[in-house]
């Protein structure tokens, strides 16, 4: 059921009591890297404003329950004061307030999960927010018990209620899977000691892991980054270090995986979901048949995409097979120099500005107003993210910037999310949240704009080949790899129904999908069977991963429309982003002449990747 935001799903990085620390110099060649300013939310964990807002949230939650519980059916018959529109407005404001508090606690904790004080703060605030949410849980449940005709009449009659029509219509899709109030409250309160607890265990364990390379122990992000270094020996050493540490911690990751899979199976069974991924499809507001068609289309394309590309890459690198750790190795043609932060900023903003000055202006605020945390440093969580916070505040972006071309693409990706979140914020707290399948649209589109802008400037054929190769690899990682992840999750959750899985069994399932998706040009050797352990999406958001493939294929089709579009495309695109969670994917794509339920839709998206591989093959012959 839908409640307030789930803060443990964030992958974030060091907070410093909400203050803005001095920017980190990192590698001098990168320039001064910015650190975000969490004081925009609250000055510190014990700031008077934070304490006051927490007390305000408690008072308002209790008052809301007292005012509205058991009275929503009567409210639905009224217009104006005391009507359902008033209740929805109050609920929307409460969601924003609780979201702001939860964001600050989550960002602070994930900023440095190794800090015990941050862990206690996060845990305490999570507990308080869960307690407050238990007083608000009745609202959605009671609304869904009101007859459809009554709700429809209220939306038609009362403008204040009608404003929330998309949210109410969306909420009623949950109705068949809704339990009685006591069970829903039990599920909510027990989440702190079940899924949330094991999510926290995963995050803290991963943050503490160190990987030894040449006698030096380093965190995950830095070690993973070594896999895209130009020297084969460096990549091999990193792979050995990763496999060794993952293997030493298999027991805890196996326990986490088994526990969360079982926890989800219990929840799905009680709610009546038929398929193991149906709860995710419902949350994404996408039909199971659409996802099945996507998965099948990508699987059938493996030979034309990943198998074909990796065979080409093996030839370029002078081997019959690539080691699994060489999958993302840079080509010899790849420029060796680091890209400074100012250059990365200019690259992304210029590409955004060429598409839309408004888009560049919004993205520019992230740099100018200290909404970005860029340095890679000990204790900082790996990866990258854009967190929307709440409409009354602003989003934050985290990247681990090391000056590689892929880091520039990651920055473009996350700023796309940020622009989307700013634009959707106008819908208010309840309706700004976009389903995961559409949440990747702006990020992948921003990445594509940046790539195309860079490619157009590149005249050297060897550099162009390196750029195209890297883009193809990124698209394979986004589409092929994520669908393989989705199929791995399906195998895990299906097998878990028969009993606990051993580390060896999980490893075998992992290798089965990796072999199929990567193809014969990749040598899967000992050690790779443990690499499922570090993928956070499996833990935080089961079956999230297909959203990346959905978004990439969608944007490929959308970008093809843009390339041939008449004036006005940008306006329609901004309307899509501003919609937030108020419209179904079919309604949002219709102005562009696209339909994800059309069997040929996914083929169109995949054909763009295939076309880039064709271009690479032709360019290789010309170099």
């Amino acid at each position: 059921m839908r409640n307030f935001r789930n803060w443990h799903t964030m992958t974030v990085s060091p907070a410093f009591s909400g203050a803005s620390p001095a920017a980190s110099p990192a590698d001098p060649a990168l320039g001064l890297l910015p650190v975000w300013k969490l004081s925009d939310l609250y000055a510190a964990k014990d700031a008077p404003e934070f304490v006051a807002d927490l007390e305000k949230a408690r008072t308002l939650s209790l008052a809301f329950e007292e005012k509205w519980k058991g009275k929503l059916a009567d409210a639905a018959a009224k217009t104006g004061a005391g009507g359902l529109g008033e209740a929805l407005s109050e609920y929307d404001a409460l969601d924003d307030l609780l979201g702001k508090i939860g964001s600050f606690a989550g960002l602070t904790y994930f900023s440095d999960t190794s800090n015990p004080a941050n862990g206690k703060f996060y845990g305490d605030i999570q507990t308080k927010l869960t307690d407050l949410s238990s007083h608000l849980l009745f609202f959605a449940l009671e609304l869904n018990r009101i007859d459809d005709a009554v709700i429809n009449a209220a939306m038609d009659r009362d403008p204040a209620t009608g404003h929330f029509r998309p949210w109410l219509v969306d909420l009623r899709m949950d109705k068949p899977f809704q339990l009685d109030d006591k069970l829903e409250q039990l599920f909510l309160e027990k989440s702190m000691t079940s899924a949330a607890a094991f999510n926290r265990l995963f995050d803290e364990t991963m943050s503490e892991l160190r990987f030894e390379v040449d006698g030096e122990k380093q965190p995950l992000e830095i070690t993973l980054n070594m896999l895209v270094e130009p020297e084969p020996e460096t990549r091999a050493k990193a792979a050995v270090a990763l496999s060794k540490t993952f293997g030493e911690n298999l027991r805890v990751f196996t326990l986490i995986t088994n526990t969360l899979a079982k926890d989800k199976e219990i929840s799905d069974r009680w709610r009546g979901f038929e398929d193991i991924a149906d709860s995710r499809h419902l949350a994404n507001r996408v039909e199971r048949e659409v996802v099945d068609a996507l998965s099948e289309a990508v699987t059938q394309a493996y030979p034309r995409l990943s198998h074909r590309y990796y065979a080409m890459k093996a030839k370029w690198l002078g081997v019959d097979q690539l080691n699994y750790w060489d999958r993302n190795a840079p080509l010899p043609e790849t420029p060796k120099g680091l890209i400074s932060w100012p250059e990365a900023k200019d690259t992304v903003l210029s590409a955004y500005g060429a598409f839309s000055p408004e888009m560049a202006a919004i993205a520019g605020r992230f740099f100018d107003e200290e909404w970005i945390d860029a340095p890679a440093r000990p204790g900082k969580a790996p990866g990258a993210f854009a967190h929307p916070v709440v409409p009354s505040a602003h989003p934050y972006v985290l990247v681990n910037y090391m000056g590689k071309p892929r880091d520039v693409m990651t920055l473009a990706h996350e700023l796309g999310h940020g622009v989307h979140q700013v634009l959707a914020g106008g819908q208010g707290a309840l309706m700004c949240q976009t389903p995961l399948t559409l949440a990747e649209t702006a990020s992948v589109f921003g990445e594509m704009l940046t790539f195309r802008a860079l490619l157009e400037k590149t005249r050297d054929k060897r550099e162009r080949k390196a750029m195209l190769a890297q883009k193809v690899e990124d698209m394979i990682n986004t589409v092929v790899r994520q669908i393989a992840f989705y199929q791995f999750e399906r195998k895990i959750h299906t097998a878990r129904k028969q009993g606990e899985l051993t580390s060896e069994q999980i490893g075998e399932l992992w290798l089965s999908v990796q072999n199929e998706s990567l193809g014969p040009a990749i040598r899967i050797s000992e050690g790779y069977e443990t690499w499922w352990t570090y993928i956070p999406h499996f833990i935080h958001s089961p079956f999230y991963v297909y959203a990346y493939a959905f978004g990439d294929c969608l944007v490929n089709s959308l970008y093809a429309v843009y390339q041939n579009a008449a004036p006005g495309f940008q306006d329609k695109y901004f309307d899509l982003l501003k919609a937030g969670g108020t419209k179904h994917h079919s309604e949002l794509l219709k102005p562009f002449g696209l339909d994800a339920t059309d069997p040929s839709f996914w083929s169109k998206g995949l054909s763009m990747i295939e076309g880039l591989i064709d271009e690479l093959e032709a360019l290789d012959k010309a170099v």
Side-chain angles (χ1 to χ4, degrees):
M1 292 304 299
R2 303 192 159 202
N3 299 305
F4 292 100
R5 296 168 180 78
N6 218 351
W7 304 111
H8 67 262
T9 63
M10 295 190 304
T11 302
V12 217
S13 139
F16 304 81
S17 301
S20 179
S24 168
D27 188 318
L30 299 181
L32 204 61
L33 298 178
V35 178
W36 55 22
K37 187 175 66 173
L38 290 185
S39 56
D40 284 357
L41 298 177
Y42 299 101
K45 289 182 282 191
D46 58 353
E49 296 83 1
F50 181 77
V51 175
D53 271 1
L54 196 57
E55 176 57 27
K56 179 182 178 182
R58 187 189 72 83
T59 301
L60 291 177
S61 296
L62 294 174
F64 185 86
E65 182 181 36
E66 176 67 25
K67 181 178 179 179
W68 296 108
K69 189 172 183 179
K71 304 167 188 174
L72 293 182
D74 292 338
K78 299 178 182 178
T79 300
L84 189 57
E86 181 182 330
L88 286 161
S89 296
E90 291 180 9
Y91 188 71
D92 185 68
L94 258 173
D95 189 69
D96 192 281
L97 177 60
L98 291 175
K100 183 181 178 183
I101 293 168
S103 286
F104 180 70
L107 290 168
T108 299
Y109 167 67
F110 285 102
S111 288
D112 186 359
T113 61
S114 64
N115 184 333
N118 284 352
K120 174 175 169 50
F121 175 63
Y122 174 65
D124 288 347
I125 296 302
Q126 263 204 323
T127 298
K128 289 178 181 179
L129 290 178
T130 301
D131 289 344
L132 295 183
S133 295
S134 69
H135 293 287
L136 305 172
L137 181 63
F138 79 91
F139 189 67
L141 301 176
E142 193 171 319
L143 279 174
N144 269 348
R145 286 198 295 270
I146 299 174
D147 188 81
D148 288 348
V150 175
I151 290 290
N152 290 336
M155 292 189 294
D156 292 340
R157 182 184 65 254
D158 179 22
T161 302
H163 170 75
F164 291 95
R165 182 186 297 270
W167 187 80
L168 288 166
V169 170
D170 205 39
L171 177 69
R172 295 179 90 74
M173 294 180 68
D174 292 331
K175 190 174 180 178
F177 310 101
Q178 181 173 301
L179 304 175
D180 66 57
D181 290 16
K182 285 293 184 182
L183 280 174
E184 290 289 357
Q185 185 166 352
L186 177 64
F187 269 59
L188 174 66
E189 294 185 11
K190 287 283 285 181
S191 67
M192 282 294 299
T193 55
S194 55
F198 279 89
N199 271 265
R200 181 174 167 183
L201 174 61
F202 174 87
D203 290 327
E204 294 189 6
T205 302
M206 193 57 68
S207 177
E208 290 292 325
L209 292 186
R210 292 296 179 266
F211 305 83
E212 187 171 346
V213 180
D214 291 335
E216 182 178 346
K217 294 184 178 180
Q218 54 197 28
L220 176 64
E221 187 70 20
I222 292 174
T223 312
L224 287 173
N225 191 62
M226 294 174 69
L227 296 175
V228 293
E229 290 292 337
E231 300 81 12
E233 298 80 8
T234 301
R235 299 193 297 270
K237 289 177 182 178
V240 170
L242 289 163
S243 295
K244 182 176 184 294
T245 301
F246 291 154
E248 291 170 348
N249 291 272
L250 264 183
R251 184 176 180 181
V252 66
F253 290 120
T254 299
L255 174 62
I256 292 170
T257 299
N258 272 292
T259 302
L260 290 177
K262 183 61 178 178
D263 183 78
K264 185 179 185 305
E265 185 271 325
I266 293 170
S267 177
D268 285 354
R269 175 161 38 88
W270 275 84
R271 295 194 182 282
F273 288 109
E274 293 180 3
D275 184 77
I276 51 178
D278 275 353
S279 59
R280 175 61 61 197
H281 302 333
L282 178 66
N284 284 342
R285 296 312 187 235
V286 64
E287 299 76 17
R288 186 200 305 172
E289 295 75 18
V290 172
V291 179
D292 288 347
L294 165 64
S295 181
E296 179 63 24
V298 174
T299 302
Q300 289 183 356
Y302 284 170
R304 307 194 309 273
L305 302 179
S306 51
H307 296 188
R308 178 187 172 201
Y309 173 75
Y310 290 133
M312 290 167 57
K313 185 170 185 177
K315 184 189 70 173
W316 296 336
L317 295 182
V319 295
D320 293 328
Q321 278 187 308
L322 295 167
N323 291 307
Y324 68 82
W325 57 78
D326 291 329
R327 188 169 51 84
N328 292 315
L331 297 184
E333 295 89 345
T334 304
K336 302 294 192 297
L338 294 178
I339 301 168
S340 71
W341 180 255
E343 186 181 353
K345 172 184 174 181
D346 181 67
T347 296
V348 176
L349 293 185
S350 295
Y352 276 27
F355 174 75
S356 163
E358 182 183 356
M359 189 172 174
I362 296 172
R365 296 184 65 192
F366 284 78
F367 295 94
D368 299 339
E369 300 180 37
E370 300 177 81
W371 299 352
I372 303 176
D373 191 305
R377 56 181 178 262
K380 182 173 180 176
F385 84 102
H387 181 55
V389 188
V390 289
S392 65
H394 61 74
Y396 283 96
V397 159
L398 177 143
V399 293
N400 281 276
Y401 190 80
M402 299 183 192
K404 300 291 178 64
R406 273 197 174 91
D407 295 331
V408 179
M409 291 298 111
T410 298
L411 179 63
H413 181 102
E414 299 305 338
L415 284 172
H417 277 306
V419 169
H420 194 174
Q421 291 159 359
V422 169
L423 291 171
Q427 297 291 347
L430 292 181
M431 297 187 292
C432 68
Q433 299 179 67
T434 307
L436 293 178
T437 42
L438 293 170
E440 293 301 326
T441 303
S443 55
V444 178
F445 194 82
E447 201 175 338
M448 181 66 79
L449 288 173
T450 305
F451 166 72
R452 289 293 182 181
L454 287 173
L455 191 65
E456 286 177 12
K457 295 178 183 178
T458 305
R459 296 289 176 260
D460 183 275
K461 290 183 178 180
R462 289 172 60 82
E463 284 191 20
R464 188 178 179 89
K465 174 185 172 183
M467 284 187 64
L468 279 169
Q470 184 169 293
K471 183 59 178 175
V472 168
E473 288 176 16
D474 288 344
M475 295 174 92
I476 288 173
N477 287 337
T478 303
V479 177
V480 170
R481 185 167 168 80
Q482 300 304 324
I483 289 300
F485 282 177
Y486 174 62
Q487 293 168 347
F488 169 68
E489 283 190 279
R490 291 195 63 87
K491 290 187 176 188
I492 289 292
H493 285 263
T494 300
R496 181 63 180 90
K497 291 183 178 182
Q498 307 306 315
E500 277 210 16
L501 301 173
T502 65
S503 302
E504 291 74 19
Q505 287 174 314
I506 298 175
E508 288 170 3
L509 295 176
W510 169 257
L511 292 181
S512 70
V513 298
Q514 292 300 305
N515 275 307
E516 181 184 10
S517 63
L518 297 176
I522 300 289
R523 180 185 297 110
I524 304 292
S525 52
E526 186 177 355
Y528 193 56
E529 70 278 359
T530 65
W531 283 43
W532 55 271
T533 55
Y534 81 96
I535 311 297
H537 302 85
F538 299 157
I539 306 302
H540 297 318
S541 305
F543 302 109
Y544 176 114
V545 288
Y546 73 73
Y548 287 113
F550 191 110
D552 197 275
C553 288
L554 187 157
V555 167
N556 289 344
S557 297
L558 193 64
Y559 196 85
V561 174
Y562 166 57
Q563 288 178 308
N564 302 294
F569 178 93
Q570 285 86 342
D571 291 336
K572 289 190 287 187
Y573 178 70
F574 268 63
D575 287 342
L576 182 154
L577 302 187
K578 289 175 182 177
T582 63
K583 296 181 180 179
H584 188 261
H585 64 79
S586 58
E587 189 177 356
L588 289 171
L589 295 179
K590 191 174 182 179
F592 304 97
L594 300 174
D595 180 5
T597 63
D598 184 341
S600 66
F601 176 80
W602 303 116
S603 299
K604 291 176 184 176
L606 294 171
S607 67
M608 178 175 283
I609 308 176
E610 196 170 358
L612 290 177
I613 297 175
D614 290 341
E615 186 176 348
L616 252 180
E617 194 168 42
L619 192 61
D620 182 52
K621 294 175 182 177
V623 172

Coordinates of all heavy atoms in Angstrom, one line a residue, residues 133-155:
S133 N 3.2 7.8 10.7 CA 2.5 7.2 9.5 C 1.4 6.3 10.0 O 0.4 6.2 9.3 CB 3.5 6.5 8.6 OG 4.4 7.4 8.1
S134 N 1.6 5.6 11.1 CA 0.5 4.7 11.6 C -0.8 5.5 11.9 O -1.9 4.9 11.8 CB 1.0 3.9 12.8 OG 1.1 4.8 13.9
H135 N -0.7 6.8 12.2 CA -1.9 7.6 12.5 C -2.5 8.1 11.2 O -3.6 8.5 11.2 CB -1.5 8.8 13.4 CG -1.1 8.4 14.8 ND1 -2.0 8.0 15.7 CD2 0.2 8.4 15.4 CE1 -1.3 7.7 16.9 NE2 0.0 7.9 16.7
L136 N -1.8 8.0 10.1 CA -2.3 8.5 8.8 C -2.7 7.3 7.9 O -3.2 7.6 6.8 CB -1.2 9.3 8.2 CG -0.7 10.5 9.0 CD1 0.5 11.2 8.3 CD2 -1.8 11.5 9.3
L137 N -2.3 6.1 8.3 CA -2.6 4.9 7.5 C -4.0 4.8 7.1 O -4.4 4.3 6.0 CB -2.1 3.7 8.2 CG -2.2 2.4 7.5 CD1 -1.3 2.4 6.2 CD2 -1.7 1.2 8.4
F138 N -4.9 5.2 8.0 CA -6.3 5.0 7.8 C -6.8 5.7 6.5 O -7.8 5.3 5.9 CB -7.1 5.6 9.0 CG -7.3 7.1 9.0 CD1 -8.3 7.7 8.4 CD2 -6.3 7.9 9.6 CE1 -8.4 9.1 8.3 CE2 -6.4 9.2 9.5 CZ -7.5 9.9 8.9
F139 N -6.1 6.8 6.2 CA -6.7 7.7 5.1 C -6.9 7.0 3.8 O -8.0 7.0 3.2 CB -5.8 8.9 5.0 CG -6.3 10.0 4.1 CD1 -7.4 10.7 4.5 CD2 -5.7 10.3 2.9 CE1 -8.0 11.7 3.7 CE2 -6.3 11.3 2.1 CZ -7.4 12.0 2.5
A140 N -5.8 6.4 3.3 CA -5.9 5.7 2.0 C -6.8 4.5 2.1 O -7.6 4.2 1.2 CB -4.5 5.2 1.6
L141 N -6.8 3.8 3.2 CA -7.6 2.6 3.4 C -9.1 2.9 3.4 O -9.9 2.3 2.8 CB -7.2 1.8 4.7 CG -5.8 1.4 4.8 CD1 -5.5 0.8 6.2 CD2 -5.4 0.4 3.7
E142 N -9.4 4.0 4.1 CA -10.8 4.4 4.3 C -11.3 5.0 2.9 O -12.5 4.7 2.5 CB -10.9 5.4 5.4 CG -12.4 5.7 5.8 CD -12.4 6.6 7.0 OE1 -11.6 6.4 8.0 OE2 -13.3 7.5 7.1
L143 N -10.5 5.7 2.2 CA -10.9 6.2 0.9 C -11.2 5.1 0.0 O -12.2 5.2 -0.8 CB -9.7 7.0 0.3 CG -9.6 8.5 0.8 CD1 -8.3 9.1 0.2 CD2 -10.8 9.3 0.4
N144 N -10.5 4.0 0.0 CA -10.7 2.9 -0.9 C -11.9 2.1 -0.5 O -12.4 1.2 -1.3 CB -9.5 2.0 -1.0 CG -8.5 2.5 -2.1 OD1 -8.9 3.3 -2.9 ND2 -7.3 1.9 -2.1
R145 N -12.5 2.3 0.7 CA -13.7 1.6 1.0 C -15.0 2.4 0.6 O -16.1 1.8 0.7 CB -13.7 1.3 2.5 CG -12.8 0.2 3.0 CD -13.1 -0.3 4.4 NE -13.0 0.8 5.4 CZ -11.9 1.0 6.1 NH1 -10.8 0.2 5.9 NH2 -11.8 1.9 7.0
I146 N -14.8 3.6 0.2 CA -15.9 4.4 -0.3 C -16.3 4.0 -1.7 O -15.4 3.7 -2.5 CB -15.5 5.9 -0.3 CG1 -15.2 6.4 1.2 CG2 -16.7 6.7 -0.8 CD1 -14.7 7.8 1.2
D147 N -17.6 3.9 -2.0 CA -18.0 3.4 -3.3 C -17.5 4.3 -4.4 O -17.4 5.5 -4.2 CB -19.6 3.4 -3.3 CG -20.1 2.8 -4.5 OD1 -20.2 1.5 -4.5 OD2 -20.5 3.5 -5.4
D148 N -17.2 3.7 -5.5 CA -16.6 4.4 -6.7 C -17.5 5.5 -7.1 O -17.1 6.6 -7.4 CB -16.4 3.4 -7.8 CG -15.3 2.5 -7.6 OD1 -14.5 2.7 -6.7 OD2 -15.1 1.5 -8.4
A149 N -18.8 5.3 -7.1 CA -19.8 6.3 -7.5 C -19.7 7.6 -6.7 O -19.8 8.7 -7.1 CB -21.2 5.8 -7.6
V150 N -19.5 7.4 -5.4 CA -19.5 8.5 -4.4 C -18.2 9.3 -4.7 O -18.2 10.5 -4.7 CB -19.5 8.0 -3.0 CG1 -19.3 9.1 -2.0 CG2 -20.8 7.3 -2.7
I151 N -17.1 8.6 -4.8 CA -15.8 9.3 -5.1 C -15.8 10.0 -6.4 O -15.4 11.2 -6.5 CB -14.6 8.3 -5.1 CG1 -14.4 7.7 -3.7 CG2 -13.4 8.9 -5.6 CD1 -13.8 8.7 -2.7
N152 N -16.4 9.4 -7.4 CA -16.5 10.0 -8.7 C -17.3 11.3 -8.7 O -17.0 12.3 -9.3 CB -17.0 9.0 -9.8 CG -16.1 7.9 -10.1 OD1 -14.9 8.1 -9.9 ND2 -16.6 6.8 -10.6
A153 N -18.4 11.2 -7.9 CA -19.3 12.3 -7.8 C -18.6 13.5 -7.1 O -18.8 14.7 -7.5 CB -20.6 11.9 -7.1
A154 N -17.8 13.1 -6.1 CA -17.1 14.2 -5.3 C -16.1 14.9 -6.2 O -15.9 16.1 -6.1 CB -16.4 13.5 -4.1
M155 N -15.4 14.1 -7.0 CA -14.4 14.7 -7.9 C -15.0 15.6 -8.9 O -14.5 16.6 -9.3 CB -13.6 13.6 -8.6 CG -12.7 12.8 -7.6 SD -11.5 11.7 -8.5 CE -12.6 10.5 -9.2

